[in-house]
Amino acid sequence: MFNLILFGPPGSGKGTQSEKLIAKYNFKHLSTGDLLRSEIARKTSLGLDAKKIMDRGELVPDEVVIGMISSALESNPDAVGFLFDGFPRTCAQAEALDKLLALKNMSINVMLALNVTEEELVKRLLKRGETSDRPDDNNEQVIRTRIQEYHKKTSIVADHYKKSNKVVMIKGEGSINDIFEGLTKEIDSRIKNK
Ligand code: B4P
């Protein structure tokens, strides 16, 4: 079992790199953004509440996303490992994740943190906004709010994992394949040493 957190600000390439990582390693992909968007698409009451918050660029309440992750862990008992994408985003989420994993005698093996400048983040998200139907990518002010939320509530989550030496910074600018290589190098060396 190998559990990985792919970390970074909005637009840093988490979703993009996750797709390639799950294809290579067969991890179970747990993206709270995707889980929330699926609730919105199905018009569930959770989805309708979350949509208003996400459209403003703010974070959905901890108990909602922790509940989603808890049931996803329960429903995938045979996973070879989990790739957490966009979760945890607050210290409360990180503490809850540690507890949920400990109940199953599991822990996080590594947090790979993508490093990208703010101007590049805004550029990428506005570009995606031209073709995606994501309302949170269409408006520069909302994008800036998402980045502020990251600085206020999410970036400190890395400190939680630094205490146990689990954080590795990865250059998040350049070609998608070069960034992927940087990530796989770190994963492979850890899988080998397990
Ligand atoms: P998420 O779905 O997690 O999305 P994101 O952080 O905005 O984007 P991501 O980082 O995955 O995108 P990527 O860089 O791959 O969150 C959306 C919202 O959901 C949050 O704002 C929040 O409201 C809510 N939410 C989710 N999880 C939550 C939680 N745990 N707690 C509370 N609320 C939560 O892609 C961006 C663009 O960059 C793409 O167009 C891609 O093609 C491009 N790109 C990627 N790599 C590139 C490269 N190397 N060069 C150039 N472009 C690149």
Side-chain angles (χ1 to χ4, degrees):
M1 182 61 98
F2 188 89
N3 298 311
L4 147 77
I5 297 172
L6 193 55
F7 191 71
S12 54
K14 301 184 298 287
T16 306
Q17 296 295 336
S18 288
E19 261 183 51
K20 294 173 72 69
L21 291 170
I22 54 170
K24 180 172 165 81
Y25 297 100
N26 216 14
F27 296 135
K28 175 68 193 165
H29 183 203
L30 295 185
S31 157
T32 38
D34 287 352
L35 291 169
L36 288 164
R37 281 185 289 276
S38 142
E39 297 279 343
I40 293 172
R42 287 183 284 120
K43 296 192 164 61
T44 63
S45 74
L46 187 160
L48 294 174
D49 288 344
K51 181 173 174 16
K52 291 181 213 142
I53 301 169
M54 291 166 76
D55 286 356
R56 292 197 299 267
E58 294 164 13
L59 293 182
V60 171
D62 287 333
E63 56 275 19
V64 174
V65 281
I66 292 167
M68 289 191 322
I69 288 289
S70 171
S71 32
L73 288 174
E74 284 302 322
S75 36
N76 288 283
D78 299 326
V80 295
F82 291 97
L83 191 169
F84 297 94
D85 161 10
F87 181 90
R89 257 178 159 97
T90 64
C91 291
Q93 292 180 21
E95 281 159 20
L97 178 61
D98 285 351
K99 284 189 194 141
L100 286 171
L101 291 177
L103 284 174
K104 299 182 179 306
N105 285 324
M106 296 193 295
S107 61
I108 292 297
N109 294 79
V110 69
M111 168 186 267
L112 299 176
L114 294 165
N115 197 6
V116 179
T117 61
E118 179 156 341
E119 284 326 295
E120 172 71 11
L121 298 173
V122 175
K123 203 171 83 186
R124 286 184 190 178
L125 293 172
L126 282 173
K127 185 158 176 256
R128 182 168 67 184
E130 288 169 12
T131 50
S132 83
D133 54 4
R134 280 183 54 169
D136 58 344
D137 283 344
N138 275 320
N139 176 313
E140 182 163 345
Q141 193 45 53
V142 171
I143 291 172
R144 300 253 177 219
T145 302
R146 286 158 65 193
I147 296 171
Q148 277 164 20
E149 286 275 273
Y150 172 81
H151 289 307
K152 252 198 295 182
K153 300 174 187 164
T154 307
S155 58
I156 45 169
V157 171
D159 297 338
H160 178 85
Y161 294 97
K162 272 182 194 156
K163 286 182 210 149
S164 44
N165 275 329
K166 288 186 175 162
V167 182
V168 182
M169 296 301 297
I170 303 282
K171 187 167 164 264
E173 291 187 40
S175 83
I176 288 173
N177 282 338
D178 285 351
I179 297 164
F180 180 63
E181 234 180 78
L183 294 168
T184 56
K185 212 176 96 203
E186 295 297 335
I187 296 169
D188 290 343
S189 71
R190 281 169 179 75
I191 288 180
K192 230 184 273 162
N193 292 328
K194 261 184 76 172

